[in-house]
């Protein structure tokens, strides 16, 4: 770093994305991308004519995409906020509702960007440990006198809270924003969107990267009562009013409209997840109950790190975190049936070597 960087930023511990190695071709099960392509309408929307319009700025109101999202969830466009990936939504939310005088409460094991944003915006977070079984201790997030941020289902643990437990947290913190990050909810969780009309402090954050197959388009969104959306629009328009490009907007509208394709992809991933989890359990793995498009799994005869390394040597990438509580585990994205068959084949090879 240079001598000019502010001291407060020199201590930042940035978020580390999943590795993207270029040394050879891998079966990539480490970044929770959807293994299926975007909806057919997305491919049809990105025409030569659409590309030619890149000479013009995109619509700063993001009106077509807001309308498509609102229609899907039975809301109004004023209930919807759209950003360049859900990370931008999270960052704007921390900037809007948390600082040195307005704290935030987060789980100790969850999406890594929560701690990064707290550090970036100079917030001293209250970090609540998950239980021994990696479940969220709901009672410790109730009445905490701060903004609350948590993922449901959680990552990387894959565990989902029932909606009744989410509502307890929201209802017990009426004077503070409760942000529920639902990046993975379409694979088995219960969404809190149905609670928006009842709770002015509820902010539900979603992404097109997982269930809508648009990780590369970078579209995130939030849903809330209009006053919270107005707050976030004030921040966005003070920083990046053209944050959604023309092609991503077209892609997002078509992906949101094609409900049948979306549901089919989710169901295929859920089915493959179930088969893969059963096979890994038969091999002695310990797994949490997943409501996501990934598995949180620990082998029984080798370490999580060794399993990750041996899979990588065989051309299969999974995510290894390496912190003390997570070190026995890896996170395995659910790919196609064919990709997961390779994972299982390589896993059997690894375990046979370890325990001949």
């Amino acid at each position: 770093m240079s001598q000019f960087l502010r001291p407060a930023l020199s201590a930042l511990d940035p978020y580390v994305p999943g590795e993207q190695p270029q040394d050879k071709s891998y079966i990539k099960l480490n970044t929770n991308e959807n293994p299926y392509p975007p909806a057919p309408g997305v491919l049809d929307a990105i025409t030569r004519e659409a590309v030619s319009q890149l000479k013009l700025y995109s619509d700063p109101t993001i009106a077509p995409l807001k309308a498509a999202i609102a229609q899907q969830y039975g809301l109004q466009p004023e209930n919807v906020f759209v950003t360049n990936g859900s990370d931008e939504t999270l960052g704007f939310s921390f900037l809007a509702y948390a600082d040195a005088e307005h704290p935030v409460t987060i789980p100790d094991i969850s999406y890594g960007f929560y701690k990064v944003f707290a550090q970036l915006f100079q917030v001293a977070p209250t970090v609540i440990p998950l239980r021994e079984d990696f479940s969220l201790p709901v009672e410790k997030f109730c009445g905490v006198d701060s903004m609350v941020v948590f993922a449901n289902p959680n990552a990387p643990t894959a565990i989902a809270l029932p909606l009744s437990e989410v509502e307890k947290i929201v209802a017990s913190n009426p004077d503070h924003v409760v942000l529920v990050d639902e990046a993975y909810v379409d694979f088995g969780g219960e969404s809190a969107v149905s609670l928006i009309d009842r709770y002015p402090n509820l902010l539900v954050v979603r992404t097109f990267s997982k269930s809508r197959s648009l990780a590369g388009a970078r579209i995130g969104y939030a849903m809330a009562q209009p006053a919270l959306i107005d707050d976030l629009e004030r921040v966005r328009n003070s920083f990046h009013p053209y944050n959604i490009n023309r092609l991503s907007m077209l892609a997002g509208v078509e992906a949101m409209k094609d409900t049948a394709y979306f549901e089919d992809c989710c169901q295929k991933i859920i089915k493959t997840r179930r088969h893969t989890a059963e096979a890994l359990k038969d091999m002695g793995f310990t797994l949490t109950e997943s409501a996501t498009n990934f598995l949180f799994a620990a082998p029984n005869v080798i370490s999580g790190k060794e399993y990750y390394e041996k899979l990588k040597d065989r051309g299969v990438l999974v995510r290894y975190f390496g912190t003390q509580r997570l070190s026995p585990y890896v996170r395995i994205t659910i790919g196609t049936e064919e990709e997961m068959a390779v994972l299982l084949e390589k896993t059997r090879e690894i375990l046979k070597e370890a325990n001949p």
Side-chain angles (χ1 to χ4, degrees), residues 45 50-51 67 78 101 107 119 124 164 184 190 196 215 244 248 262 275 280 286 294 312 317 336 341:
V51 173
E78 55 264 33
E101 297 178 358
Q119 188 180 21
S164 58
Y184 301 101
E190 292 183 273
I196 286 173
I244 303 297
S248 288
F262 154 76
H275 293 163
L280 290 173
T286 298
F294 60 86
K312 185 175 179 180
L317 279 180
T336 63

Side-chain angles (χ1 to χ4, degrees), residues 15-294:
Y15 177 74
V16 180
E19 60 188 314
Q20 307 279 350
Q22 307 296 322
D23 56 321
K24 63 181 181 180
S25 178
Y26 289 91
I27 292 177
K28 198 166 175 295
L29 306 176
N30 68 324
T31 50
N32 294 345
E33 294 145 321
N34 197 309
Y36 302 106
V42 173
L43 308 182
D44 295 336
I46 310 301
T47 63
R48 290 180 63 88
E49 173 62 23
V51 173
S52 75
Q53 296 304 303
L54 290 176
K55 63 187 179 184
L56 303 174
Y57 284 113
S58 58
D59 176 6
T61 71
I62 323 175
L65 186 49
K66 285 187 176 184
I69 294 169
Q71 183 174 8
Q72 178 66 29
Y73 295 103
L75 301 171
Q76 298 300 315
E78 55 264 33
N79 295 118
V80 180
F81 179 68
V82 183
T83 54
N84 192 313
S86 61
D87 291 336
E88 191 172 71
T89 301
L90 295 172
F92 287 164
S93 299
F94 271 75
L95 188 58
Y97 304 116
D99 60 19
E101 297 178 358
H102 299 85
V104 63
T105 300
I106 60 176
D108 68 331
I109 298 173
S110 193
Y111 184 36
F113 244 130
Y114 305 153
K115 291 179 182 177
V116 172
F117 283 135
Q119 188 180 21
L120 178 63
F121 297 122
Q122 300 182 25
V123 181
T126 298
V127 180
I128 306 294
L130 298 184
R131 296 192 183 101
E132 191 65 28
D133 64 357
F134 296 111
S135 61
L136 190 84
V138 171
E139 67 283 356
K140 294 185 178 180
F141 287 82
C142 292
V144 293
D145 196 28
S146 76
M147 180 185 182
V148 176
V149 177
F150 64 97
N152 191 44
N154 196 23
T157 63
I159 298 172
L161 283 176
L163 183 59
S164 58
E165 296 292 272
V166 174
E167 186 171 8
K168 285 180 184 177
I169 297 172
V170 178
S172 71
N173 292 288
D175 298 324
H176 301 278
V177 169
V178 176
L179 188 159
V180 184
D181 185 349
E182 294 188 346
Y184 301 101
V185 75
D186 294 322
F187 302 105
E190 292 183 273
S191 177
V193 170
S194 62
L195 303 177
I196 286 173
D197 286 346
R198 294 159 56 188
Y199 295 102
N201 63 322
L202 174 60
L203 183 64
V204 178
V205 177
R206 294 283 198 94
T207 179
F208 280 70
S209 295
K210 315 302 181 185
S211 56
R212 302 281 175 180
S213 302
L214 289 177
R218 309 310 304 130
I219 307 172
Y221 59 108
M223 294 170 285
Q225 291 191 16
L228 290 189
I229 300 302
D230 286 347
D231 295 343
L232 295 174
E233 289 291 2
R234 177 181 293 268
V235 176
R236 181 180 73 90
N237 286 312
S238 300
F239 179 76
H240 194 189
Y242 297 106
N243 61 331
I244 303 297
N245 70 70
R246 283 175 166 268
L247 300 186
S248 288
M249 203 174 315
L250 289 171
V253 169
E254 294 302 323
M256 188 57 69
K257 283 166 51 178
D258 197 337
T259 302
Y261 183 82
F262 154 76
E263 291 177 350
D264 181 61
C265 288
C266 288
Q267 287 306 309
K268 285 193 289 189
I269 288 168
I270 291 168
K271 180 181 177 182
T272 305
R273 180 187 73 203
R274 183 172 61 251
H275 293 163
T276 306
E278 289 170 355
L280 290 173
K281 287 177 184 177
D282 288 344
M283 293 183 226
F285 277 68
T286 298
L287 293 91
T288 57
E289 188 67 31
S290 176
T292 65
N293 68 334
F294 60 86

